[in-house]
Amino acid sequence: MQTIDDLDVAGKRVFVRADLNVPLSGTDITDDGRIRAVAPTIAKLVAAGAKVIVASHLGRPKGAPDPQFSLAPVAVRLGTILGQDVVFATDTVGDSAAQAVAGLQDGGVVLLENLRFNAGETSKDDAERGAFADRLAALADLYVGDGFGAVHRTHASVYDLPARLPHAVGLLIATEVAVLKRLTEQVDRPYVVVLGGAKVSDKLGVIDNLLGKADRILIGGGMAYTFLAAKGHEVGKSILQADQIPTVLEYLDRAEKNGVEFVLPVDVAVSADFPDTRTHAPVADFEIVASDAIPAGKEGLDLGPETRKLFAAKLADARTVFWNGPMGVFEHPTFAEGTKAVAQALADGDSFSVVGGGDSAAAVRILGFDEKKFGHISTGGGASLEYLEGKTLPGLAALEN
C-alpha cells in the first residue's frame, strides 16, 4: 500500500476519510480519542501544503440529515487539536461543501457534514453508492484512507471512492495494520486474549480463529454468562444468548483439545436491577456471589474480586495481549472494578498490549489510565475483530489496489 509519503500533496485537494465517530452527550464530545488519532495525518498534510477535506460518519442516521448526528461539534474539537481553524461544511456534496472546498487555501482544512446523511454512503446498490462516490471524487484530487474504524464496511467513501482517485493510507491505518500483523504473524508468546462486551455472538468469529493461535482466552462482560450457562450454571437475569450455547460448548471442547486455556469468572458482582449509568446512583442490593451461584432474580454486572485476581495472574506472564470489550458496566463506578483490573494488569505488565477499540478503548481513557502504558489503543473495534477473524476488509483491499 502507498502511504502519504508517496504522494505529492502540495497545492492538491486531498480527501481524508477519517473515523470521527465519537460519543456525544448532546453536543458535548465525551471521548475525543478518534479525533486525536487521525490528527497527525491531517497535520502532516497541512504542513506539506495540501488543501485537506476531511470526511467521516457519526452514528447511524437513516440516510438523511439528523441534527443529533451532526459533526459540527467535531469540527470545533478538531480545530482545537490541530491549532487552526477548521471550516465546517453543512452538507457532503451540496453547495456548502463545494463553496468550502473552493475557498480552501494551501494548508487549510474543511470538515464535511456526516457522510451518512446521504443514502448513497451505505447503500447496498452499487450504482447508488457509486454515484455518491463520483460526487465526492469531484471535490478532490487525491484520497487518503485513515478511518480504520470503517474499513470493514463496503461504503462509498471507504470502498468506492479510492478507485476513483490516486490513493494512499494515512499514518493511523498504517499503524493499525502493523499492530494487527503483530497479533497474527510471529506472535511473541504467551499470547493472551481478553474478550468482554455484551454479546457472545459478536465475538464468535474471533474466538473460532484464535483457538488455533492464542495460548489463553479470558472471558468477561455480558458474554461470560452464556459460557457459564453452557457449563450448567444458573445465570439469573444476566445477559444470555441461549441459542449460542451449542457453539460455545464446541469451542470449549476445541480449546481443551488444542491446549488453549479458557478462563471464566469464578465470582461476579450482581444486582436485581441495571444501574443508572447517568446519575451513578448507589446500588443498594449489590453483592458478590460465586459464578455458579447467581441468584435467579439478579443480574451479573461485573467481575468479582477473586476473578479480578485470577485474570491479573493470567496476564502477568503474557508477552502479547489483545483486549476487546469491557468486563462489566464500567460506566457505573460500582461495576467498573473488573475493567479497571484488566487495564491495570496491562498497564503494569511487560506485554505488547493492544486495546481493541470501541468501549474498551473508551474505558481506558474514562477510567483515567495513561494511554502510553499500553502498546496500542485501536480506533476500530469491529475492524480489529474482523481482521483477527481472518476476513478481508473491503476498505483495506480498496487501498491495496
Side-chain angles (χ1 to χ4, degrees):
M1 286 188 284
Q2 282 200 126
T3 70
I4 54 176
D5 291 328
D6 299 313
L7 298 178
D8 176 12
V9 301
K12 304 283 182 61
R13 300 170 301 164
V14 181
F15 189 103
V16 178
R17 196 345 175 151
D19 177 12
L20 304 174
N21 186 27
V22 295
L24 293 172
S25 176
T27 59
D28 294 329
I29 297 167
T30 58
D31 178 13
D32 66 1
R34 284 179 167 165
I35 305 174
R36 288 186 288 109
V38 77
T41 292
I42 298 170
K44 187 165 188 174
L45 292 168
V46 164
K51 300 172 180 178
V52 184
I53 305 155
V54 184
S56 176
H57 68 285
L58 176 67
R60 296 180 181 273
K62 306 295 185 183
D66 185 335
Q68 68 176 317
F69 297 117
S70 175
L71 281 166
V74 175
V76 176
R77 183 67 61 88
L78 178 60
T80 300
I81 291 169
L82 292 174
Q84 70 178 82
D85 289 339
V86 171
V87 177
F88 181 62
T90 57
D91 55 29
T92 54
V93 290
D95 291 341
S96 179
Q99 290 169 13
V101 171
L104 270 177
Q105 302 295 312
D106 293 356
V109 181
V110 163
L111 175 64
L112 304 181
E113 182 55 285
N114 193 335
L115 290 163
R116 291 185 183 174
F117 285 0
N118 190 303
E121 170 68 0
T122 59
S123 176
K124 290 181 168 41
D125 181 84
D126 292 349
E128 183 180 15
R129 218 175 49 244
F132 182 50
D134 287 339
R135 296 183 71 188
L136 291 173
L139 296 172
D141 305 304
L142 303 169
Y143 176 92
V144 171
D146 216 28
F148 182 73
V151 292
H152 58 313
R153 307 293 188 193
T154 308
H155 290 171
S157 65
V158 175
Y159 180 70
D160 301 274
L161 186 53
R164 288 158 167 79
L165 294 169
H167 53 266
V169 298
L171 303 175
L172 175 60
I173 282 188
T175 299
E176 295 273 12
V177 171
V179 165
L180 288 168
K181 284 183 176 177
R182 288 186 64 175
L183 298 178
T184 53
E185 303 170 12
Q186 298 179 323
V187 180
D188 194 9
R189 298 184 180 280
Y191 178 18
V192 182
V193 175
V194 186
L195 296 175
K199 294 182 178 179
V200 69
S201 57
D202 293 342
K203 306 295 195 304
L204 288 178
V206 75
I207 294 172
D208 184 33
N209 203 37
L210 289 172
L211 281 173
K213 297 181 175 70
D215 298 300
R216 285 180 212 130
I217 300 178
L218 281 52
I219 302 290
M223 63 182 288
Y225 302 101
T226 299
F227 279 86
L228 293 171
K231 294 179 78 69
H233 302 323
E234 167 66 49
V235 296
K237 292 164 56 180
S238 308
I239 292 173
L240 173 63
Q241 289 186 284
D243 60 320
Q244 302 297 337
I245 286 177
T247 304
V248 164
L249 286 170
E250 180 200 336
Y251 287 176
L252 290 170
D253 183 58
R254 275 175 54 202
E256 187 174 358
K257 289 175 180 173
N258 291 350
V260 178
E261 184 181 5
F262 247 101
V263 185
L264 300 177
V266 295
D267 61 347
V268 294
V270 300
S271 171
D273 299 301
F274 196 85
D276 188 329
T277 57
R278 186 177 56 84
T279 66
H280 296 171
V283 181
D285 68 340
F286 145 75
E287 63 175 322
I288 303 295
V289 299
S291 58
D292 61 355
I294 298 173
K298 294 205 171 183
E299 177 178 5
L301 298 165
D302 194 16
L303 305 181
E306 294 307 312
T307 304
R308 300 197 296 266
K309 290 179 196 171
L310 173 64
F311 278 24
K314 296 295 183 182
L315 288 164
D317 67 341
R319 298 300 304 156
T320 304
V321 178
F322 175 70
W323 171 29
N324 181 278
M327 298 292 100
V329 187
F330 74 91
E331 299 90 344
H332 192 287
T334 302
F335 303 106
E337 296 304 317
T339 303
K340 273 187 197 173
V342 168
Q344 192 67 60
L346 298 186
D348 292 343
D350 295 324
S351 66
F352 175 65
S353 56
V354 178
V355 182
D359 287 341
S360 38
V364 163
R365 290 187 281 264
I366 290 168
L367 296 175
F369 286 89
D370 181 355
E371 293 182 43
K372 295 185 178 69
K373 296 286 188 180
F374 304 87
H376 179 69
I377 298 181
S378 179
T379 56
S384 296
L385 288 175
E386 291 200 15
Y387 190 101
L388 293 179
E389 288 175 32
K391 292 183 177 178
T392 296
L393 304 185
L396 289 186
L399 291 167
E400 287 168 352
N401 292 337

